[in-house]
Amino acid sequence: GENVEQHPSTLSVQEGDSAVIKCTYSDSASNYFPWYKQELGKRPQLIIDIRSNVGEKKDQRIAVTLNKTAKHFSLHITETQPEDSAVYFCAANTGTASKLTFGTGTRLQVTL
Amino acid sequence: DTEVTQTPKHLVMGMTNKKSLKCEQHMGHRAMYWYKQKAKKPPELMFVYSYEKLSINESVPSRFSPECPNSSLLNLHLHALQPEDSALYLCASSQIESLNEKLFFGSGTQLSVL
């Protein structure tokens, strides 16, 4: 089955700095890679996703890059704000169904 | 309506109780999911329903029994649970069950088993 590794487990940045979270996956058949943000006590919310036929996708301050050859993908957040503080999960989707395998999560803390 | 609604938000039950978790969506999605999330861990898939039929059971113990009465509703019936089953139970939906459909999560039911 798919295995998704995520690093770092915690990340602290100052407001205005950039944050980068990296994930690797094991199944070369994986072709869909969403990122979820989960604030404390709240639901996971999809913030950006990328499909395997695309190398990079950007949405305002958030971007995701995908390297299929190396089987890794990354989340980039620029100009971080305190409201970006949350746990971020990467995921990969393989198989014949919407069967997401999540990474272990990164707790991002944006300090003033 | 772009929400997945779960009830109750919190549930405390004893090991001999029978309870049910409910999930509802009105986005016309035809795939619905149950995930289990322990504290500080990622969500883990339990069940997938596609067009009201169970398509995936991730080897979940029989004390968890899912039900999909119609395309908008998903239930999870609980019986004889163990304390280690205490977790956040998340419902999710997607348009269809396919390789790259966006999942929309509900806010979850925080379950405590005493």
Side-chain angles (χ1 to χ4, degrees):
Chain A
E2 176 65 280
N3 182 48
V4 179
E5 294 189 359
Q6 183 172 347
H7 300 280
S9 57
T10 59
L11 180 59
S12 183
V13 299
Q14 284 200 315
E15 184 180 7
D17 287 350
S18 295
V20 180
I21 302 171
K22 298 183 179 183
C23 289
T24 60
Y25 60 97
S26 60
D27 191 340
S28 55
S30 293
N31 62 5
Y32 175 61
F33 308 92
W35 285 88
Y36 285 85
K37 174 184 179 182
Q38 189 173 26
E39 296 177 61
L40 191 62
K42 302 238 175 123
R43 73 186 78 192
Q45 287 197 297
L46 179 69
I47 55 171
I48 196 166
D49 57 8
I50 192 166
R51 288 167 172 75
S52 58
N53 59 347
V54 176
E56 184 174 356
K57 184 176 177 180
K58 195 171 181 181
D59 183 3
Q60 299 183 351
R61 296 185 298 107
I62 293 173
V64 58
T65 58
L66 171 65
N67 184 326
K68 282 184 63 179
T69 304
K71 289 192 277 189
H72 66 69
F73 56 113
S74 300
L75 179 71
H76 304 253
I77 306 174
T78 58
E79 300 170 23
T80 53
Q81 300 167 4
E83 51 266 37
D84 294 329
S85 297
V87 178
Y88 291 80
F89 291 102
C90 63
N93 189 343
T94 56
T96 58
S98 290
K99 194 170 169 178
L100 283 179
T101 299
F102 285 85
T104 48
T106 296
R107 182 170 298 278
L108 174 64
Q109 181 78 37
V110 180
T111 57
L112 295 172
Chain B
D1 187 350
T2 58
E3 279 211 357
V4 177
T5 304
Q6 288 187 245
T7 55
K9 292 193 186 306
H10 302 275
L11 179 62
V12 180
M13 61 186 289
M15 288 189 283
T16 59
N17 291 158
K18 283 185 182 181
K19 296 286 184 183
S20 295
L21 309 184
K22 296 186 184 303
C23 175
E24 190 168 2
Q25 57 86 16
H26 295 289
M27 294 180 278
H29 290 175
R30 301 310 300 272
M32 296 186 77
Y33 311 75
W34 281 114
Y35 279 82
K36 173 182 177 180
Q37 186 177 26
K38 301 282 272 186
K40 299 186 180 181
K41 297 289 186 182
E44 294 178 358
L45 182 65
M46 299 174 72
F47 302 104
V48 181
Y49 272 83
S50 180
Y51 294 90
E52 296 94 70
K53 286 186 173 21
L54 183 65
S55 65
I56 294 178
N57 176 343
E58 289 286 275
S59 304
V60 179
S62 60
R63 57 186 185 269
F64 295 92
S65 176
E67 179 197 18
C68 190
N70 60 53
S71 60
S72 300
L73 293 174
L74 184 66
N75 299 321
L76 186 62
H77 303 297
L78 314 172
H79 174 54
L81 294 194
Q82 304 296 310
E84 58 264 30
D85 296 322
S86 297
L88 180 67
Y89 288 84
L90 292 162
C91 174
S93 70
S94 66
Q95 280 195 329
I96 58 173
E97 183 190 14
S98 76
L99 281 173
N100 50 23
E101 282 292 326
K102 297 178 194 290
L103 280 192
F104 293 85
F105 283 92
S107 296
T109 294
Q110 188 65 55
L111 175 67
S112 297
V113 181
L114 304 179

